[in-house]
Amino acid sequence: MRNATLSHSDPTPVAAIANNRQEVLERCVERVRSTSRIFGLRNPQIGNAEYGWEYCQPFDWVISFYAGQLWLAYQFNGDQGLANLARARQADLNILLSNLAAQDHDLGFIFSLNCVADWKFTGSHTARLMALRAAEALRARFKPNGGYIQAWNPRGTADAARSTFVAGRIIADTMQNLALLYWANDETGISDFKTIADAHAETTHNYLVREDGTSFHTFVFDPTTGAPLRGETHQGYAHDSCWSRGQAWLVHGFAQCYRTTGNPVYLETARKIAARAEELLGDDRVPLWDFRIPPHEPQYLDSSAGAILSAGLFILADATIGEERTHWRAFAERLLDGLIDTCDLTLTEGAQGLLDNGAAHVRRGSVRNMLPYGDYYFMEALMRSLGHSRFCW
Ligand code: GLY
């Protein structure tokens, strides 16, 4: 296993570090360009031991993270071929729009990363209309009793356990999906999109974020009455632990919600969760998969949590001023440089991804993998660190 207690490295001159990030980003863009020839229209799902990929089945929640990387690479170098490859993937998204049973809260990720990006970066009206249809479908998942967007779906009527498990359940990850609703509100002026996104963010703030700034991964409401029942984990170590990627989704999500709406509650929430993450990280530079993993349990890293958290902290830094801004930026850079120093695969010959040591789902044995979302947020964090400001969110 890689070193799980990586700590601050010796100081390096600021310009040298920035140059290094620029070089890493250039290598990421080159890796995306070169792998696009291998992938065709397949989308990476999870890395294998040889640093190749297993690919997504239709409608996988991660289906658009490679398209997101193609759009970032296009932003970086203007290569029309990369934009074309991202757009070609929209045919599958059109099929998803017609398949209600396959739609869940991840419509936000799936359509923001490809169709909203296409609209914002190239003005594609087709992509805009697809993203608006997805936003309508996401809005329809809102449960007024309880005030939340349900995360997951039952799998048919035969699986009673699954139906019970998903009913009334919210998850931290959904905060990232709200960007699609806020975007749809901006585009159309239809206030429902924002009202529902705000209601879900408030519910998340009230029930997923604990008083001490840690978070539950999921929270369950009575599906009929909307009464709050209990916090639980799904991918973390324990119900009362703090799953690192969930904490990272919340920092990025609340910081992004504040940037979009200016609601000070979102800023306060992002600050509180980020401060707690910083405390729990201690001297490490790459998070363990759960911030409260006991010492006798497997100490796997989750590079994706580090990448998402870093990107979110750059948004938080940009939302603040003075010493506070400097503080969040330094924390974001510490995480980013930790990833560069220990998990970066862009100098590894033959690797088809960008970051090693992601932990998709530890209890299912998915550890030490390349992950397409880790790769996407690594590029987003690198670009934010270098002053880029146009993203799909
Ligand atoms: N959104 C699912 C995950 O973070 O694994």
Side-chain angles (χ1 to χ4, degrees):
M1 207 194 95
R2 307 280 160 130
N3 181 1
T5 52
L6 308 157
S7 50
H8 298 274
S9 54
D10 293 336
T12 310
V14 172
I17 294 172
N19 282 341
N20 188 35
R21 292 189 200 117
Q22 176 73 21
E23 285 161 18
V24 176
L25 178 58
E26 283 168 13
R27 293 201 299 269
C28 289
V29 170
E30 175 50 28
R31 177 66 48 87
V32 170
R33 197 193 59 76
S34 65
T35 52
S36 70
R37 296 182 182 151
I38 300 168
F39 296 168
L41 290 182
R42 294 177 298 179
N43 294 296
Q45 199 250 352
I46 190 161
N48 60 34
E50 289 76 43
Y51 292 131
W53 292 99
E54 289 167 26
Y55 295 98
C56 288
Q57 298 297 315
F59 316 139
D60 193 306
W61 78 276
V62 306
I63 200 162
S64 285
F65 285 102
Y66 185 70
Q69 292 166 61
L70 288 166
W71 283 118
L72 292 185
Y74 168 72
Q75 277 279 89
F76 184 76
N77 67 9
D79 180 344
Q80 190 58 45
L82 299 177
N84 292 344
L85 281 170
R87 194 173 292 139
R89 286 166 160 77
Q90 290 169 14
D92 283 344
L93 305 194
N94 246 329
I95 299 171
L96 174 58
L97 283 176
S98 310
N99 186 340
L100 187 63
Q103 297 169 6
D104 67 15
H105 72 130
D106 287 322
L107 286 165
F109 279 121
I110 292 170
F111 284 84
S112 295
L113 286 159
N114 194 338
C115 295
V116 175
D118 192 1
W119 163 243
K120 284 190 175 178
F121 303 156
T122 78
S124 162
H125 285 276
T126 307
R128 176 180 179 276
L129 287 177
M130 286 175 66
L132 287 175
R133 281 181 65 199
E136 284 166 4
L138 182 59
R139 181 181 60 181
R141 298 184 67 80
F142 185 69
K143 308 286 182 198
N145 271 356
Y148 60 87
I149 293 169
Q150 180 168 317
W152 298 313
N153 297 342
R155 293 192 193 108
T157 47
D159 190 342
R162 167 80 181 178
S163 298
T164 306
F165 176 73
V166 300
R169 189 176 291 273
I170 64 168
I171 69 174
D173 327 26
T174 306
M175 284 302 296
Q176 289 295 100
N177 291 319
L178 301 186
L180 182 67
L181 297 177
Y182 287 121
W183 168 81
N185 169 246
D186 283 348
E187 281 298 314
T188 63
I190 297 171
S191 60
D192 273 11
F193 290 118
K194 180 174 186 303
T195 308
I196 282 170
D198 281 339
H200 184 88
E202 185 182 338
T203 303
T204 301
H205 165 265
N206 291 344
Y207 295 102
L208 279 183
V209 181
R210 302 187 186 109
E211 205 47 52
D212 67 358
T214 62
S215 53
F216 291 112
H217 177 197
T218 83
F219 197 94
V220 187
F221 297 86
D222 182 307
T224 309
T225 65
L229 298 179
R230 62 191 175 277
E232 291 186 349
T233 197
H234 179 56
Q235 280 157 273
Y237 170 70
H239 293 329
D240 61 356
S241 71
C242 183
W243 181 50
S244 309
R245 191 157 68 250
Q247 190 87 355
W249 289 136
L250 291 169
V251 170
H252 194 297
F254 276 106
Q256 177 63 30
C257 285
Y258 174 69
R259 199 194 65 78
T260 307
T261 65
N263 182 338
V265 175
Y266 299 156
L267 178 59
E268 271 317 303
T269 311
R271 280 177 169 137
K272 178 172 163 176
I273 311 164
R276 193 69 172 140
E278 187 173 15
E279 196 180 309
L280 290 165
L281 191 72
D283 284 338
D284 287 357
R285 302 165 75 210
V286 180
L288 296 176
W289 65 284
D290 193 299
F291 280 123
R292 282 180 167 160
I293 188 78
H296 60 274
E297 293 287 345
Q299 307 285 297
Y300 298 113
L301 298 174
D302 183 10
S303 56
S304 74
I308 297 158
L309 185 55
S310 177
L313 289 163
F314 282 115
I315 304 173
L316 181 57
D318 283 347
T320 54
I321 55 169
E323 278 180 28
E324 184 182 6
R325 183 190 185 101
T326 306
H327 176 86
W328 295 128
R329 195 174 164 91
F331 183 22
E333 288 173 343
R334 169 154 77 97
L335 288 160
L336 185 52
D337 294 339
L339 293 172
I340 292 171
D341 289 347
T342 63
C343 302
D344 174 17
L345 290 172
T346 59
L347 288 172
T348 303
E349 194 79 23
Q352 294 179 6
L354 308 179
L355 274 189
D356 199 1
N357 271 311
H361 198 138
V362 173
R363 292 193 175 287
R364 292 183 183 161
S366 299
V367 294
R368 297 183 205 152
N369 298 115
M370 303 186 300
L371 298 171
Y373 37 101
D375 287 2
Y376 169 81
Y377 283 95
F378 184 47
M379 284 185 75
E380 183 181 309
L382 282 163
M383 291 180 77
R384 290 189 187 278
S385 82
L386 294 163
H388 294 262
S389 57
R390 293 184 74 212
F391 296 93
C392 66
W393 323 108

